[in-house]
């Protein structure tokens, strides 16, 4: 079945970087956009950006420009999200989610499935 | 960036009630609006796409309507398993924004 499996929880110090992985299975990895969404404790959903796994092209939310990098390794059907210069307010669960619209058509925000989430804690 | 204003932020209703949540976009987004349900400790689930289309497998008591800047999400008869937080989400010009969410509780 279609599945996204993310890497495990991370604890980082302020100023450090974190890289979260998202391994896809059950479908053609390069056929669908991958998005990253985060959720701070008790807060709402915040979209961070997407990557086109076929071309490697990316589009980031303005808030994260300059701090986030999304990449992929097509040989192992895995997407990555790296966030740098971490602050305490970056503490959140980070999700990857596949967009149901096929590349190269534009992403439509139809997210299914989602990964299980990765808790990133930023604390000194 | 397009801003989404979702209301109310929380809602308490009885089983069997009709529940309505609204979402307003800061500019015209046509029908580029989706609705998600998130239960505690779980990833969100897509319920409605393109404003009014029910995702496969989603019960017919859920519905959506609207276009342009004003959108509505309705549960026709609230069930206990519908307790969750609901989010609207817009997609326009390759960017995506979520509303602030509506926490739905049973009265």
């Amino acid at each position: 079945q279609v599945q996204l499996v993310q890497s495990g929880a991370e604890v980082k110090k302020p100023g450090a970087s974190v890289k979260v992985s998202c391994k896809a299975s059950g479908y053609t990895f390069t056929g669908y956009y991958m998005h990253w969404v985060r959720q701070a404790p008790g807060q709402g959903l915040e979209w961070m950006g997407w990557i086109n796994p076929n071309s490697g092209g990316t589009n980031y939310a303005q808030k994260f420009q300059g701090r986030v990098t999304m990449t992929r390794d097509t040989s192992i059907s895995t997407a990555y999200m790296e966030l740098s210069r971490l602050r305490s307010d970056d503490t959140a669960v980070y999700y990857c989610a596949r967009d149901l619209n096929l590349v190269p058509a534009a992403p439509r925000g139809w997210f299914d499935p989602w990964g299980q989430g990765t808790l990133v804690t930023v604390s000194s | 960036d397009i801003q989404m204003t979702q209301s109310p932020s929380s809602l308490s209703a009885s089983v069997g009630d009709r529940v309505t949540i609204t979402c307003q976009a800061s500019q015209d987004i046509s029908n580029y609006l989706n609705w998600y349900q998130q239960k505690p400790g779980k990833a969100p689930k897509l319920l409605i796409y393109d404003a009014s289309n029910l995702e496969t497998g989603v019960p017919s008591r859920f519905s959506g309507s609207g276009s342009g800047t004003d959108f509505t999400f309705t549960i026709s008869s609230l069930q206990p398993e519908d307790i969750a937080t609901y989010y609207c989400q817009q997609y326009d010009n390759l960017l995506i924004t979520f509303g602030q969410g509506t926490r739905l509780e049973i009265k």
Side-chain angles (χ1 to χ4, degrees), chain A residues 2-115:
Chain A
V2 177
Q3 194 174 7
L4 301 176
V5 177
Q6 297 182 222
S7 49
E10 303 262 12
V11 179
K12 296 292 184 180
K13 292 194 182 301
S17 297
V18 68
K19 190 171 186 177
V20 179
S21 69
C22 172
K23 182 170 178 58
S25 61
Y27 72 97
T28 302
F29 177 68
T30 52
Y32 300 84
Y33 295 89
M34 191 71 78
H35 298 260
W36 291 88
V37 176
R38 77 176 187 179
Q39 186 169 37
Q43 302 301 308
L45 302 170
E46 184 171 34
W47 177 77
M48 300 179 70
W50 56 253
I51 182 168
N52 177 336
N54 187 48
S55 66
T58 55
N59 197 23
Y60 304 140
Q62 188 172 10
K63 175 177 179 175
F64 299 102
Q65 295 268 4
R67 277 211 306 145
V68 70
T69 304
M70 296 178 188
T71 58
R72 90 293 190 216
D73 184 339
T74 58
S75 68
I76 55 172
S77 299
T78 299
Y80 302 92
M81 186 284 301
E82 184 170 21
L83 190 62
S84 63
R85 303 193 301 277
L86 289 169
R87 308 184 293 256
S88 58
D89 61 357
D90 290 318
T91 294
V93 174
Y94 289 77
Y95 293 100
C96 59
R98 183 188 71 161
D99 196 295
L100 283 173
N101 212 25
L102 284 162
V103 166
R108 299 288 289 269
W110 305 333
F111 295 169
D112 183 63
W114 295 61

Side-chain angles (χ1 to χ4, degrees), chain A residues 108-110, chain B residues 2-6 21-27 29-36 46-54 63-73 87-92 97-99:
Chain A
R108 299 288 289 269
W110 305 333
Chain B
I2 296 174
Q3 306 302 315
M4 305 302 294
T5 304
Q6 187 175 339
I21 299 168
T22 63
C23 199
Q24 185 172 59
S26 59
Q27 63 189 69
I29 58 170
S30 184
N31 67 332
Y32 298 159
L33 193 284
N34 305 317
W35 290 95
Y36 286 84
L46 178 64
L47 299 182
I48 304 284
Y49 64 94
D50 290 354
S52 60
N53 296 293
L54 197 65
S63 65
S65 64
S67 66
T69 60
D70 295 303
F71 301 87
T72 300
F73 172 81
Y87 295 91
C88 62
Q89 175 222 49
Q90 70 83 27
Y91 58 97
D92 184 71
T97 315
F98 285 96

Side-chain angles (χ1 to χ4, degrees), chain B:
Chain B
D1 289 2
I2 296 174
Q3 306 302 315
M4 305 302 294
T5 304
Q6 187 175 339
S7 62
S9 57
S10 64
L11 177 57
S12 181
S14 301
V15 172
D17 281 355
R18 183 181 183 87
V19 170
T20 299
I21 299 168
T22 63
C23 199
Q24 185 172 59
S26 59
Q27 63 189 69
D28 190 335
I29 58 170
S30 184
N31 67 332
Y32 298 159
L33 193 284
N34 305 317
W35 290 95
Y36 286 84
Q37 175 194 65
Q38 186 180 32
K39 296 185 177 181
K42 300 291 188 182
K45 174 185 175 182
L46 178 64
L47 299 182
I48 304 284
Y49 64 94
D50 290 354
S52 60
N53 296 293
L54 197 65
E55 175 69 340
T56 302
V58 174
S60 59
R61 64 180 180 273
F62 296 101
S63 65
S65 64
S67 66
T69 60
D70 295 303
F71 301 87
T72 300
F73 172 81
T74 301
I75 306 174
S76 60
S77 177
L78 185 66
Q79 300 302 304
E81 60 267 31
D82 300 336
I83 299 314
T85 300
Y86 293 84
Y87 295 91
C88 62
Q89 175 222 49
Q90 70 83 27
Y91 58 97
D92 184 71
N93 196 27
L94 305 181
L95 299 175
I96 288 170
T97 315
F98 285 96
Q100 305 94 320
T102 296
R103 178 176 291 184
L104 180 55
E105 300 173 338
I106 291 284
K107 192 180 293 183

